[in-house]
Amino acid sequence: MEKPSNTLKKIYHPSKEVKKRANVKDYEPLYQESISNREDFWAKEAKRLEWFRKWDKVLDASNHPFYEWFQGGRINIVHNALDRHQKNATRNKLAIIWEGEPGDLRTFSYHALHREVSRFANVLKSMGARPGEVITIYMPQIPETVIAMLACAKIGAIHSVVYGGFSVEALAERIEDANSRILVTADGGFRRGKAVGLKSIANEAMKRSPTIEVCITVKRTGEECYMENDRDFWYHDLMSMPLACSDCATVETDAEDPLFILYTSGTTGKPKGLVHTHGGYAVYTASTFRYVFDIKPEDRFWCAADPGWVTGHSYMVYGPLINGATMMMYEGAPNHPYPNRWWQMIEKYGINILYTSPTAIRGLMRFGPSWADRHNLSSLRLLGSVGEPINPEAWKWYYEVIGKGRCPIMDTWWQTETGGHMITPLPVIPLKPGSATKPFFGNEMAIVDDRGNEVKTGEEGNLVIKNPWPGMARTILGDPDRFVEKYWEKYSEQKWYLAGDSARKDEDGYYWIIGRIDDVIKVSGYRLGSAEIESALVSHPAVTEAAAIALPDELRGNIIHTTVVLRQGVEAGDKLSEELKAHVEHEIGPIARPAFVVFTDALPKTRSGKIMRRVLKARALGQDTGDLSTLEE
Ligand code: PRX
């Protein structure tokens, strides 16, 4: 038997069958063409979509870094995701197959989805929704989440989906930042056999951020919830009124009009609302979905993410629907009631492509191969991974136990900011476990030092993107200066985008992502900021100062370690430690719950007052704390 280390170094070449059916047979020539004639490449891709008016200019780069794509073009992403499919056989095809955690099943053809979206769009209009206003969506994983997103886009409103696992403060802050007047939520959702309430959290958030005038609630779990007169409405009540008719014109938007904002964590406590557009984002998600997942009309595609994250936006909703694909959606936990739940659904629905995160794979790997082995997984032909580096052991398990050695794994590197895949395999690219392989068409990357010089092959450095691409975020809502400062200032001379990840490139030009270079913490692939966790901690009356760091964890990638300084007279102890963990969970959500709370008299700081997280990390890991000469005390 080969030793594991040798097997993991192996290069996995695509099989003849994979090559034969691939949408792109040969990566290199098309890649070279795409970077030498970038605008031509994207114009050709854009022509696959239907435009109300063709663009005048593919790219306007005159106002760096505020690039504009398909300038002058008129489009609506929903026209491309739904309306245009009504004219052909796709109308009768399944758009969504949804399974609830208790086992209930709902399906929507393209016709049915189009109808429901139109009806809800009319409901939103009856509530006074206007093009350009931000509507917040705080939902579990149910079809109405997708319906609400598409209904907003259809009428030219901007959706801001807040992940259903977030809690009071996180939701309140996002509502307020977007100045949102309408909230769409649900009573709750099912997770691990329990009803998890969302409306109660939404109610508390609405108290903290009073901008919401209308709250529409979907009944999912049936639990009691407080409804306020004149503000709260049930989704099913509104949808049963004559006003919710299925006739609703799709608004023509400018290619550069905002489609959605999505909040993501950065280095300060305030989350950033990244803005994506109707035109460029539609083109970018449609193309990446088509090439990377090699989509065919007969495919059933399952992106096991949450619509509340960018992966859900791009590859559950927009990429698949624009391509007329059938997508699977599942409400609950992967191991409920048993760890074969996913494999059972793959068999039952005949899923061909599965796209998930390394954390989910590691979590299911723990239960051993027998849960997967009892199911027929032969429908699978392609696998995908996203959100964090996939360790070679998990890669191999996914490849062998789930893909039976037949299915290439698309390890896609990208970000909320990029809108879609940036470094990614295509089915025909030979794979190295743990590497996201090569840049997607049109993109040029580099690994550079702090001055912008390319580092040597195999050395670690900052990952930069050297060119604009259609799916790029256009700005941060209400804070263009922060957009410039965060992503474009460091390499302003070269006009490069700073990704915030460190990486290396090997002798074959393959990229290997190492991790974040800033204070962003990835827990189970979810993105959190140290500062967000710290501000949640200091909002507790016992705490005066706090620092949060990431510690490596085999299952979740990272876990959160916090160090707190208590107010004078407050007594440290296990009880308080548990209380603080629960407090962070209540403010941000269960994913932000610290694994450790350590009490201290003072945080290590530089003379200028910056917390030295490096020192805290070394201490927590029992390592040498290194040079402490710059420490304040
Ligand atoms: O650190 C990288 C990691 O996730 C970050 C972006 O997080 P978010 O905006 O939440 O988007 C996640 C889903 C696109 C990146 O800066 N990351 C994402 N994909 C990978 C990855 N790290 C390694 N390999 C990946 N495939």
Side-chain angles (χ1 to χ4, degrees):
M1 220 175 80
E2 265 182 303
K3 281 201 191 114
S5 57
N6 291 338
T7 336
L8 296 177
K9 277 194 191 131
K10 202 168 122 179
I11 298 183
Y12 292 76
H13 292 275
S15 67
K16 267 201 206 113
E17 297 87 86
V18 168
K19 273 190 183 157
K20 206 168 113 202
R21 58 174 302 155
N23 284 337
V24 174
K25 304 281 180 220
D26 206 355
Y27 163 80
E28 258 329 303
L30 190 51
Y31 175 70
Q32 288 307 333
E33 195 189 312
S34 76
I35 57 169
S36 41
N37 292 304
R38 185 167 293 119
E39 292 175 37
D40 289 353
F41 174 82
W42 285 117
K44 233 196 273 165
E45 291 299 311
K47 282 188 191 143
R48 290 185 209 281
L49 304 187
E50 278 187 12
W51 295 75
F52 301 125
R53 180 184 185 277
K54 197 181 163 216
W55 55 91
D56 301 317
K57 202 171 178 192
V58 177
L59 171 65
D60 180 358
S62 60
N63 186 22
H64 166 85
F66 301 99
Y67 294 91
E68 290 194 7
W69 283 89
F70 308 108
Q71 209 177 44
R74 307 282 294 172
I75 192 172
N76 186 307
I77 200 165
V78 176
H79 176 80
N80 283 282
L82 294 178
D83 306 3
R84 68 171 173 154
H85 300 315
Q86 307 306 315
K87 291 178 286 195
N88 55 49
T90 310
R91 167 181 191 271
N92 296 324
K93 190 176 167 179
L94 288 186
I96 303 178
I97 302 170
W98 174 86
E99 193 173 291
E101 201 188 62
D104 40 342
L105 168 69
R106 287 167 76 194
T107 57
F108 293 80
S109 66
Y110 271 87
H111 168 76
L113 186 61
H114 177 246
R115 206 179 129 78
E116 290 306 292
V117 168
S118 299
R119 279 157 36 77
F120 192 57
N122 278 326
V123 166
L124 289 175
K125 282 206 277 193
S126 77
M127 294 294 171
R130 293 270 169 275
E133 85 168 75
V134 180
I135 296 179
T136 302
I137 299 173
Y138 178 62
M139 299 270 265
Q141 281 217 49
I142 53 175
E144 284 78 3
T145 311
V146 178
I147 293 169
M149 288 166 76
L150 294 165
C152 291
K154 189 175 174 73
I155 60 170
I158 303 165
H159 57 73
S160 164
V161 183
V162 178
Y163 169 56
F166 275 136
S167 195
V168 182
E169 183 55 28
L171 175 60
E173 201 166 36
R174 285 158 176 77
I175 290 173
E176 193 156 321
D177 185 76
N179 207 5
S180 203
R181 205 175 56 79
I182 301 177
L183 173 67
V184 185
T185 186
D187 50 359
F190 291 105
R191 189 94 190 158
R192 285 181 225 293
K194 279 197 285 225
V196 180
L198 290 183
K199 180 64 163 75
S200 48
I201 293 173
N203 283 343
E204 224 183 299
M206 283 189 279
K207 266 192 226 149
R208 290 193 200 180
S209 56
T211 60
I212 298 291
E213 291 166 16
V214 173
C215 174
I216 303 172
T217 305
V218 177
K219 200 183 230 41
R220 165 66 186 141
T221 58
E223 68 187 69
E224 278 280 315
C225 43
Y226 169 74
M227 302 285 279
E228 192 166 292
N229 258 350
D230 296 335
R231 183 194 70 185
D232 283 324
F233 303 87
W234 286 106
Y235 180 92
H236 58 267
D237 283 345
L238 296 171
M239 289 289 266
S240 66
M241 289 181 176
L243 61 91
C245 72
S246 60
D247 188 13
C248 178
T250 299
V251 166
E252 275 190 28
T253 57
D254 190 277
E256 280 294 310
D257 277 346
L259 164 65
F260 67 85
I261 52 173
L262 192 53
Y263 285 91
T264 191
S265 302
T267 41
T268 70
K270 197 169 171 268
K272 301 176 284 204
L274 290 155
V275 179
H276 285 281
T277 60
H278 270 267
Y281 177 82
V283 174
Y284 201 76
T285 51
S287 299
T288 46
F289 183 76
R290 180 180 137 83
Y291 291 122
V292 175
F293 297 121
D294 207 29
I295 203 74
K296 298 290 185 310
E298 64 275 19
D299 281 333
R300 288 184 164 190
F301 174 83
W302 182 11
C303 167
D306 190 287
W309 299 95
V310 75
T311 309
H313 281 55
S314 301
Y315 301 111
M316 273 177 90
V317 183
Y318 292 112
L321 295 179
I322 295 172
N323 279 282
T326 298
M327 67 104 154
M328 163 83 201
M329 196 174 171
Y330 165 60
E331 178 183 35
N335 56 348
H336 185 83
Y338 301 108
N340 65 332
R341 183 65 187 264
W342 273 20
W343 320 129
Q344 194 180 39
M345 288 190 290
I346 288 173
E347 179 176 3
K348 180 173 173 194
Y349 300 112
I351 302 298
N352 307 101
I353 305 159
L354 173 67
Y355 187 35
T356 185
S357 67
T359 288
I361 298 160
R362 288 192 297 263
L364 291 165
M365 188 169 118
R366 271 187 314 164
F367 300 105
S370 61
W371 292 99
D373 286 348
R374 59 161 93 165
H375 295 281
N376 178 355
L377 303 181
S378 62
S379 59
L380 286 175
R381 63 173 183 80
L382 210 63
L383 301 171
S385 172
V386 61
E388 50 184 319
I390 179 163
N391 48 311
E393 291 75 15
W395 193 99
K396 207 162 159 262
W397 191 85
Y398 197 26
Y399 186 77
E400 281 173 2
V401 176
I402 307 308
K404 311 292 179 209
R406 286 182 298 103
C407 311
I409 299 177
M410 303 299 104
D411 175 1
T412 60
W413 176 85
W414 57 295
Q415 308 175 302
T416 308
E417 292 84 345
T418 71
H421 304 144
M422 297 305 288
I423 303 178
T424 174
L426 302 180
V428 293
I429 293 182
L431 304 172
K432 300 185 187 188
S435 166
T437 76
K438 306 248 177 161
F440 185 73
F441 300 127
N443 295 325
E444 289 171 276
M445 318 276 171
I447 312 288
V448 299
D449 64 19
D450 282 338
R451 286 190 310 256
N453 301 314
E454 261 194 66
V455 302
K456 289 202 196 100
T457 302
E459 276 181 14
E460 185 176 345
N462 295 333
L463 175 63
V464 294
I465 304 169
K466 293 175 152 184
N467 54 274
W469 64 100
M472 65 202 302
R474 299 299 194 264
T475 189
I476 293 174
L477 184 76
D479 204 349
D481 292 346
R482 195 170 167 207
F483 180 70
V484 175
E485 183 229 326
K486 175 76 182 109
Y487 306 108
W488 303 96
E489 211 158 79
K490 187 162 175 85
Y491 300 110
S492 58
E493 229 169 83
Q494 301 91 333
K495 299 189 173 165
W496 292 342
Y497 169 86
L498 175 73
D501 278 342
S502 83
R504 55 192 185 81
K505 186 160 86 167
D506 71 14
E507 58 290 355
D508 299 323
Y510 278 52
Y511 286 85
W512 299 77
I513 308 298
I514 296 163
R516 299 290 309 185
I517 48 174
D518 50 16
D519 295 325
V520 167
I521 303 182
K522 281 242 139 185
V523 181
S524 300
Y526 296 125
R527 181 165 161 179
L528 295 160
S530 304
E532 274 172 284
I533 301 160
E534 289 157 7
S535 48
L537 281 167
V538 295
S539 74
H540 188 282
V543 179
T544 56
E545 263 191 304
I549 54 165
L551 293 186
D553 180 73
E554 261 189 20
L555 185 64
R556 286 166 286 184
N558 293 290
I559 47 174
I560 299 163
H561 177 287
T562 60
T563 309
V564 298
V565 181
L566 296 175
R567 233 168 255 288
Q568 248 182 354
V570 177
E571 206 172 311
D574 289 349
K575 197 166 156 261
L576 182 59
S577 159
E578 283 310 305
E579 191 179 317
L580 292 176
K581 288 178 192 174
H583 178 70
V584 176
E585 189 171 335
H586 180 259
E587 293 294 299
I588 308 177
I591 44 164
R593 185 184 172 92
F596 300 99
V597 176
V598 172
F599 300 103
T600 183
D601 293 337
L603 292 172
K605 285 189 192 157
T606 60
R607 291 197 182 102
S608 60
K610 223 174 153 249
I611 297 169
M612 292 179 85
R613 294 198 173 82
R614 163 181 77 76
V615 174
L616 290 170
K617 189 158 182 167
R619 273 187 202 158
L621 293 171
Q623 295 168 344
D624 179 12
T625 46
D627 178 16
L628 294 181
S629 57
T630 54
L631 205 64
E632 182 202 27
E633 51 184 288

